[in-house]
Each structure stands twice: as structure tokens, then as C-alpha cells.
């Protein structure tokens, strides 16, 4: 998993020589023990320090007997004169519980990645006011939280020193890798699923540890021991070694000459020789060898460093913390310089299995371990890690949802494809935020990944439906306005179908320019179909009505013309009758005239004849009358 703050996923190798320790900070209590209640608690300030470290974190803790100069070594790593953990010269221990240096020291690796070094000072494991159980619990907590565990001791490695370190055999009873079958069954009954989850280790098992486990079962009384271990639910030591830190046995005031038969030996050779089984038989020898095998099995990555006595003067030794460097023995000053360089080089980021731990993860593990101890349970690494991993995955799920909301552009066009593309882009941002924090096994991560994906999909569906509904509503409003305008235009007498078609085209183009989304095209197509049909119908009705009006007008005009023709005919017939009557009257008048003329002529003739007595007396008109007679 990629860590935050831009660090790389690769484990950090030996830091560069340019790495500088911080010059700010103070000791803050990480774990506090209340003697009155027997309960352990975590210091809020120390937990806040850890939670601020989002990068990989290396933890160096120094443990050992009280008043043996543990704090002095850590102060040399801090490198700030006059600052560091409290160092006192009295017999009373000045360190109670576990203390943390509040300013993590940034280290840059050769590959350019960086991590932070955290220093933990521990209460002496055999302080006069400390019970064995409390000492083992603190020892176990320091061991579980460290990536480099320094056991500080005065003098050489002898049987007494090994006996004092016998508490490592207690670790198999005080720490477990996985929940025992009985606890798992109880967890299944109570519904505690996290107690049944196991975590695979990251370091390879030490062959010596595996051999010790096998030899222990095959030794005298092995069957009884195996039965006892099964009944007690003891964890296989070799399995526990997968999670133990690197171990360094620091021998203070060391005065032995590391030479064997003229061959110079290294401190590591000295340690391995001291851990070789003691020959012989019997319960005492078996116990001693069991301690040796436990140390080798629990700490497959181990080393040894020696330091000579810093000064010869006892008064100066009591004030070692403030003693100027020029008053120290040169061998001691050089040894301290080599020791701090070795510690810095070997203090690599802590891992749990394949997972590189950050400050928040370490804080979560500390809380889980302390909770288990306070409840009287055995701290189970897999259970604690699963609890932390689930908490981190839950936080990663929330972070992914926040990242999705932050990444999603609320101004995305209300288009189905555009919204889907934005959804997918935002899911990529959410996935990056999730993977940046999620830890644990793939199944656990997949479960929480599905949870945030479901939440994002639900949120997207709500946004999509709302945006598309608003877009559809806006489209319908524009189409309604366009339809009203088109129907108004079609009612105009001078509006032809080409004009209406041009108006439809222009109106649809305006709607296209004012809306977005591929979903509008089917609606616009349906609108055009319906509007062309409606407008064509209206134009047909208008044409039919105009034709009917025209036919009616023509009919009325025909009727008017027929009536006029009838009137004219009748008037003509009247005139004809009048003419015939006039003609008749004229004929009658002419006949009467002719008759009158004839009569007159006859009368005249008679009259003339009578007057003249002859033909000369016959009347002759002087001129032709009006009728030409």
C-alpha cells in the first residue's frame, strides 16, 4: 500500500548520512500504569504524536533493568545537548511506564523515500516498586510496538544475565499470534468475528526456532509438555518470531577481551556463543537451555554491541548526562558514536506481516494491546491487527466517500454520458484515497471498498436523476414554448408549409443550443414527428376551411348571378311583352289610322263628288300623312 505524504511503498534501507535528528521535542508518556487499579492507559499527547506521522514509522525502544542508563542511549540518538529523556543518579527509577519522544526524527533513505524514527524509553523491568506481571506487560508492549528492540544490560552475558532475561519465555504466554481454538469458539459464540482472523507474518521463520519447537517436544517429558502447552493455549514460539522486532543486546561497562584462542571475536559472535545450549541434563540445565532457545527463536534477527565504562570516577558517572564529551573516555565516546550509527541504520520502518506501519496504525495497535491487557486477556497480534485494520478500512471508506464528493464536479453537463464519465473519474479519486489508507487482508479491504463504492453509486444515482429530471423539465418547457409559437404561426393566413418547416427547424436548433445531453435527441425527434403531424393537420384544416369558404362564396356568387339573370330575363320578358303590346297597339293604331284614312278619303271623295258634282269634286289630299299614306 502506498503511504501518505508522498512517500514510496518500498521499505526504507539504510538512511543517508545527511539525515539530521530534530532539535525540538519533549518526553511524553505513551503508556501509564495505575498501581491502585492495575490498569494501563495510553497518553493522549503521545497518541496524538503518533497519529500525526502519516509516513512509515520506525520505533526504537530501550529496555532493561532500572538505573542502567537506558535513557542516556536514547538521548544520544536525539542528538540535542541538554534535551531528551530524564536521567537521574538516584536509586529511584525516573521512568515509569513507556515514554515517547514527542518529535519524530525524519530519516531519508537511499531511494529517496523517507520515514520517521520514534524513540521509546521504558520503565526498568525489575524496578523495586514494580510487580513481575507489570514488568512483563510493559516489556511485551515495548516489544510489540518496536521495530528495533534494545536490551540494555550492565556487564557481560552470564547465567545471571540470561536468568534476568528469562521473561522472554513469558512472552509465549503473554503474547499470541492467533486466537486459540477455544477462544475462537468462544468468539464465534459471542459473535466476535475479529478474534478469528489471523495475519501471516512478514519475516522468514528462523530454522533454529523451528528446531527448538521440535526438539522441545521430543525431549524428556516432551509429551507432557506438549499436552500442557495445548491445554494452556501457548503460541508456537517460531510463529511469534515472525512479528518480533530486530533485537540488539547492548552490554554496558563491558570489560572482557573478545578473543578466543588468539582469534578476535565480534560482539555478535560473543552473543551467539552465550546462547549455545549448556551441556548436561536435569531440570536446571533444561531451564537454562530453554531460555537460550527462546531468545534465539523469538529474535532471529539479533545483534550485540558493547560499550566500555564511560568514566572511571564515580561522581562523574552519576552526572554522565551532563558530562562534557571531552571528559568521557575516548573508547566510550567512539563506541557511542558507532552505536547510534548502528541503531539509525538498523531502525527500519516497522512491519506487521507485509504491511508497513504508519503512526496511526501503530497508535491503533497500542490501543488494542492495552485494551487486551486491561481485560485480562492475552494480546493477540492477529486480533489486534484485524481490529486496527478494520478501523483503518472504515476510516479509508469515509475518506473515499469524501474524496468522491470533493472530486465530483457539480457543474457537469446534465448528460447521461457526461455524468457517467464524471462518476467514473470521481471513483478513481475515491479509490486512490481508499488505497492510501486502507490496510489489512484483501478480503477486508474488498468489503469496505464495496461499501464506499455502493455509497458513491447511491449518491451518484440521486445526483443523476435530479440533474436529468431538471434537464428534462427545462427541455419540456422550451418545447412547450416552441410548440405554442409554431401553432400560432401556422394560424396565420400567409404561413405556408415551407415557412412552417423553416420555423420548426429554427426552433429545434434554438432548443438544441439551449439544452445538453444525448437524451434530448429522442425527445426532439418525437417532438418533430408530433409537431409536423399537428401542424400539417392544422394547415389541412385551414386549407379545407378556406376551400369551403371559397366554394360557398362561388356558390353565393352563382346564386346571385342566376338571380340577376332571372331578373334580367324577367325584365326582358316584360320588355318583350311591353314591346308586343306596343307593337300591337301600334298595329291597331295603324290599322285604325288606315281605316280612318280610308274612311276619310272615302268621305272626302264623296264629299268632293257631291260638291263638284263630278270626279273633280273628289278629295285629294295635298300631301302624304304621318304614316306615309
Amino acid at each position: 500500500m502506498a503511504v501518505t505524504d508522498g512517500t514510496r511503498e518500498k521499505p526504507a534501507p539504510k538512511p543517508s548520512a545527511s539525515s539530521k535528528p530534530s532539535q525540538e521535542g519533549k518526553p511524553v508518556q505513551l503508556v501509564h500504569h495505575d498501581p491502585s487499579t492495575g490498569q494501563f492507559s495510553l497518553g493522549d499527547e503521545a497518541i496524538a504524536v503518533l497519529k500525526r506521522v502519516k509516513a512509515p514509522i520506525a520505533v526504537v525502544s530501550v529496555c532493561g533493568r532500572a538505573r542502567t542508563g537506558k535513557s542516556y542511549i536514547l538521548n544520544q540518538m536525539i542528538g540535542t545537548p541538554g534535551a531528551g529523556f530524564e536521567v537521574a543518579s538516584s536509586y529511584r527509577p525516573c521512568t515509569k511506564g513507556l515514554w515517547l519522544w514527542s518529535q519524530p526524527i525524519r530519516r531519508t533513505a537511499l531511494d529517496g523515500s523517507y520515514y520517521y524514527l520514534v524513540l521509546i524509553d521504558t520503565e526498568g523491568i525489575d524496578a523495586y516498586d514494580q510487580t513481575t506481571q507489570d514488568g512483563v506487560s510493559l516489556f511485551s508492549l515495548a516489544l510489540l510496538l518496536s521495530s528495533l528492540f534494545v536490551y540494555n544490560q550492565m556487564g557481560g552475558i552470564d547465567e545471571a544475565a540470561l536468568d534476568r532475561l528469562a521473561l522472554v519465555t513469558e512472552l509465549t504466554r503473554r503474547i499470541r499470534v492467533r486466537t486459540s481454538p477455544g477462544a475462537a469458539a468462544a468468539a464465534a459464540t459471542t459473535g466476535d468475528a475479529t478474534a478469528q482472523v489471523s495475519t501471516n507474518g512478514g519475516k522468514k521463520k528462523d530454522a533454529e526456532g523451528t528446531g527448538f519447537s521440535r526438539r522441545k517436544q521430543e525431549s524428556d517429558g516432551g509429551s507432557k509438555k506438549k499436552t500442557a502447552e495445548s491445554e494452556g493455549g501457548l503460541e508456537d514460539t517460531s510463529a511469534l518470531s515472525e512479528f518480533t522486532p530486530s533485537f540488539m543486546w547492548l552490554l554496558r561497562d563491558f570489560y572482557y577481551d573478545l578473543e578466543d584462542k588468539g582469534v578476535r571475536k565480534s560482539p555478535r559472535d560473543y552473543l551467539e556463543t552465550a546462547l549455545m545450549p549448556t551441556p548436561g541434563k536435569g531440570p536446571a540445565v533444561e531451564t537454562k537451555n530453554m531460555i537460550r532457545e527462546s531468545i534465539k527463536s523469538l529474535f532471529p534477527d539479533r545483534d550485540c554491541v558493547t560499550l566500555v565504562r564511560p568514566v572511571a570516577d564515580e561522581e562523574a558517572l552519576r552526572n554522565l548526562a551532563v558530562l562534557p564529551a571531552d571528559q568521557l573516555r575516548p573508547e566510550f565516546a567512539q563506541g557511542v558514536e558507532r552505536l547510534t550509527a548502528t541503531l539509525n541504520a538498523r531502525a527500519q520502518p516497522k512491519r506487521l506481516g507485509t504491511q508497513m506501519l504508519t503512526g496511526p496504525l501503530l497508535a491503533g495497535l497500542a490501543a488494542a494491546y492495552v485494551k487486551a491487557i486491561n481485560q485480562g486477556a492475552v494480546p493477540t497480534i492477529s486480533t489486534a491487527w484485524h481490529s486496527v485494520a478494520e478501523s483503518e478500512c472504515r476510516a479509508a471508506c469515509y475518506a473515499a466517500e469524501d474524496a468522491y464528493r470533493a472530486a465530483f464536479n457539480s457543474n457537469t453537463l446534465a448528460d447521461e454520458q457526461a455524468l457517467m464519465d464524471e462518476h467514473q473519474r470521481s471513483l478513481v479519486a475515491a479509490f486512490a484515497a481508499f488505497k492510501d489508507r486502507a490496510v489489512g487482508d484483501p478480503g477486508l479491504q474488498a468489503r469496505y471498498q464495496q461499501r464506499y463504492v455502493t455509497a458513491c453509486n447511491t449518491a451518484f444515482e440521486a445526483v443523476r436523476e435530479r440533474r436529468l429530471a431538471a434537464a428534462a423539465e427545462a427541455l419540456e418547457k422550451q418545447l412547450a414554448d416552441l410548440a405554442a409559437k409554431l401553432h400560432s404561426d401556422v394560424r396565420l393566413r400567409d404561413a405556408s408549409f415551407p415557412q412552417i418547416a423553416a420555423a420548426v427547424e429554427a426552433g429545434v436548433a434554438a432548443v438544441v443550443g439551449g439544452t445538453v445531453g444525448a437524451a434530448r435527441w429522442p425527445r426532439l425527434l418525437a417532438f418533430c414527428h408530433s409537431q409536423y403531424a399537428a401542424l400539417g393537420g392544422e394547415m389541412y384544416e385551414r386549407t379545407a376551411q378556406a376551400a369551403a369558404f371559397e366554394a360557398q362564396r362561388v356558390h353565393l356568387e352563382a346564386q346571385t348571378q342566376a338571380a340577376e339573370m332571372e331578373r334580367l330575363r324577367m325584365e326582358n320578358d316584360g320588355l318583350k311583352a311591353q314591346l308586343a303590346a306596343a307593337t300591337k297597339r301600334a298595329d291597331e293604331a295603324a290599322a285604325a289610322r288606315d281605316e280612318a284614312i280610308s274612311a276619310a278619303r272615302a268621305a272626302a271623295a264623296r264629299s268632293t263628288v257631291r260638291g263638284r258634282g263630278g270626279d273633280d269634286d273628289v278629295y285629294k289630299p295635298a300631301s302624304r300623312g304621318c304614316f306615309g299614306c
Side-chain angles (χ1 to χ4, degrees):
M1 167 190 163
V3 294
T4 56
D5 292 347
T7 56
R8 303 179 184 177
E9 184 177 352
K10 299 178 181 179
K14 180 180 178 180
S16 63
S18 60
S19 300
K20 298 295 183 182
S22 172
Q23 297 185 359
E24 299 179 358
K26 63 179 181 179
V28 292
Q29 193 162 28
L30 175 61
V31 178
H32 170 72
H33 178 251
D34 187 351
S36 62
T37 62
Q39 295 289 295
F40 291 88
S41 61
L42 295 175
D44 293 338
E45 188 174 1
I47 293 299
V49 169
L50 292 178
K51 288 184 175 181
R52 286 195 296 268
V53 183
K54 307 299 183 181
I57 189 169
V59 183
V60 175
S61 60
V62 179
C63 187
R65 299 184 65 189
R67 315 305 315 130
T68 57
K70 301 184 302 298
S71 302
Y72 177 82
I73 297 301
L74 291 172
N75 292 344
Q76 300 306 306
M77 296 188 68
I78 295 173
T80 303
F85 296 96
E86 182 179 358
V87 178
S89 57
S90 67
Y91 72 94
R92 297 180 63 87
C94 55
T95 301
K96 302 295 290 181
L98 302 182
W99 287 75
L100 180 79
W101 187 245
S102 66
Q103 186 62 46
I105 303 171
R106 175 165 171 156
R107 299 293 187 193
T108 302
L110 295 178
D111 66 348
S113 64
Y114 66 90
Y115 60 95
Y116 284 90
L117 176 62
V118 172
L119 306 177
I120 295 180
D121 194 9
T122 67
E123 178 180 347
I125 59 176
D126 58 351
Y128 75 95
D129 57 349
Q130 178 192 85
T131 65
T132 301
Q133 180 178 357
D134 296 339
V136 173
S137 296
L138 287 173
F139 186 91
S140 301
L141 285 173
L143 196 69
L144 288 169
L145 298 177
S146 301
S147 59
L148 175 59
F149 187 79
V150 180
Y151 181 68
N152 187 77
Q153 176 194 307
M154 305 298 291
I157 302 176
D158 52 17
E159 291 299 333
L162 291 172
D163 289 341
R164 284 192 295 269
L165 198 56
L167 58 87
V168 299
T169 61
E170 290 291 319
L171 292 179
T172 58
R173 298 179 176 85
R174 300 304 179 100
I175 303 173
R176 291 178 186 165
V177 174
R178 300 172 184 84
T179 307
S180 62
T189 303
T190 59
D192 185 8
T194 61
Q196 305 178 52
V197 181
S198 64
T199 304
N200 294 327
K203 294 188 295 184
K204 295 183 179 179
K205 296 182 179 180
D206 182 25
E208 293 179 347
T210 305
F212 163 65
S213 178
R214 183 170 57 252
R215 288 194 301 270
K216 181 174 64 176
Q217 296 176 8
E218 296 173 353
S219 61
D220 294 338
S223 299
K224 295 181 180 180
K225 291 182 181 180
K226 182 177 180 181
T227 302
E229 289 176 358
S230 300
E231 292 177 353
L234 297 180
E235 186 67 38
D236 185 3
T237 306
S238 61
L240 186 59
S241 69
E242 299 175 10
F243 301 94
T244 53
S246 297
F247 178 77
M248 178 176 290
W249 200 328
L250 175 59
L251 303 177
R252 306 285 293 276
D253 294 357
F254 190 78
Y255 55 87
Y256 295 115
D257 185 11
L258 296 179
E259 186 175 321
D260 183 17
K261 298 179 180 180
V263 178
R264 184 68 179 175
K265 299 292 185 181
S266 67
R268 180 180 178 86
D269 295 333
Y270 173 68
L271 171 62
E272 296 302 321
T273 300
L275 295 178
M276 292 181 63
T278 299
K281 294 184 179 181
V285 174
E286 183 179 342
T287 299
K288 294 178 183 296
N289 288 336
M290 184 175 64
I291 295 174
R292 288 172 165 82
E293 293 292 350
S294 295
I295 296 173
K296 292 193 293 183
S297 180
L298 285 172
F299 304 113
D301 181 16
R302 54 186 176 269
D303 199 356
C304 181
V305 176
T306 61
L307 285 178
V308 300
R309 189 177 180 86
V311 291
D313 183 68
E314 293 293 335
E315 181 65 26
L317 186 62
R318 285 193 291 269
N319 296 295
L320 182 62
V322 295
L323 200 65
D326 58 359
Q327 296 186 25
L328 298 173
R329 293 177 61 189
E331 299 89 339
F332 177 79
Q334 295 171 5
V336 169
E337 185 177 353
R338 288 192 299 269
L339 172 64
T340 54
T342 301
L343 293 176
N344 283 323
R346 299 195 55 159
Q348 297 301 306
K350 182 172 178 59
R351 289 180 175 271
L352 194 63
T354 59
Q355 177 66 50
M356 186 181 297
L357 299 188
T358 61
L361 296 180
L362 189 69
L365 283 175
Y369 292 145
V370 168
K371 180 180 178 180
I373 292 174
N374 287 337
Q375 292 177 347
V378 177
T380 305
I381 296 174
S382 64
T383 302
W385 172 240
H386 185 82
S387 176
V388 172
E390 189 163 25
S391 176
E392 286 299 307
C393 283
R394 186 181 301 109
C397 179
Y398 297 147
E401 294 179 23
D402 292 341
Y404 176 87
R405 285 189 290 267
F408 194 91
N409 183 8
S410 58
N411 296 322
T412 302
L413 297 178
D415 172 61
E416 185 81 37
Q417 188 59 46
L419 289 172
M420 181 57 67
D421 291 343
E422 183 64 18
H423 173 58
Q424 295 299 328
R425 189 189 67 82
S426 301
L427 280 179
V428 172
F431 178 76
F434 179 81
K435 296 302 292 182
D436 191 51
R437 185 163 184 176
V439 296
D441 62 88
L444 178 65
Q445 293 192 37
R447 179 156 57 90
Y448 279 94
Q449 182 177 351
Q450 182 59 43
R451 181 178 298 184
Y452 86 75
V453 169
T454 300
C456 292
N457 287 338
T458 302
F460 170 69
E461 286 300 322
V463 171
R464 186 184 66 85
E465 291 181 6
R466 184 171 62 252
R467 295 294 306 280
L468 292 182
E473 182 180 357
L475 176 62
E476 292 301 325
K477 183 178 183 306
Q478 293 190 50
L479 292 179
D481 294 342
L482 176 59
K485 182 179 182 303
L486 293 175
H487 284 276
S488 176
D489 293 343
V490 82
R491 295 186 183 96
L492 299 178
R493 287 183 174 273
D494 57 349
S496 63
F497 189 82
Q499 292 174 329
I500 294 300
V504 171
E505 182 177 353
V508 170
V511 172
V512 171
T515 57
V516 295
R520 59 188 171 162
W521 298 115
R523 182 65 187 93
L524 288 173
L525 181 61
F527 173 82
C528 290
H529 287 169
S530 63
Q531 290 305 310
Y532 274 119
L535 294 173
E538 287 196 14
M539 291 193 67
Y540 173 78
E541 291 180 3
R542 190 193 70 180
T543 303
Q545 288 178 357
F549 290 153
E550 182 64 20
Q552 185 177 9
R553 184 188 65 78
V554 170
H555 178 67
L556 290 176
E557 287 183 357
Q559 286 183 339
T560 301
Q561 290 179 0
E564 181 65 19
M565 289 180 66
E566 182 65 21
R567 183 186 66 77
L568 292 176
R569 186 188 64 78
M570 294 178 64
E571 183 178 352
N572 185 49
D573 290 346
L575 291 175
K576 285 182 178 181
Q578 291 178 6
L579 179 61
T583 302
K584 182 179 180 181
R585 286 194 300 272
D587 291 342
E588 290 178 352
R593 185 198 65 189
D594 291 343
E595 185 179 354
I597 293 173
S598 297
R601 285 177 178 176
R606 284 189 306 268
S607 197
T608 302
V609 169
R610 282 187 310 261
R612 292 179 176 178
D615 291 337
D616 292 337
D617 292 335
V618 179
Y619 172 76
K620 296 181 181 180
S623 61
R624 190 176 296 270
C626 62
F627 293 103
C629 296

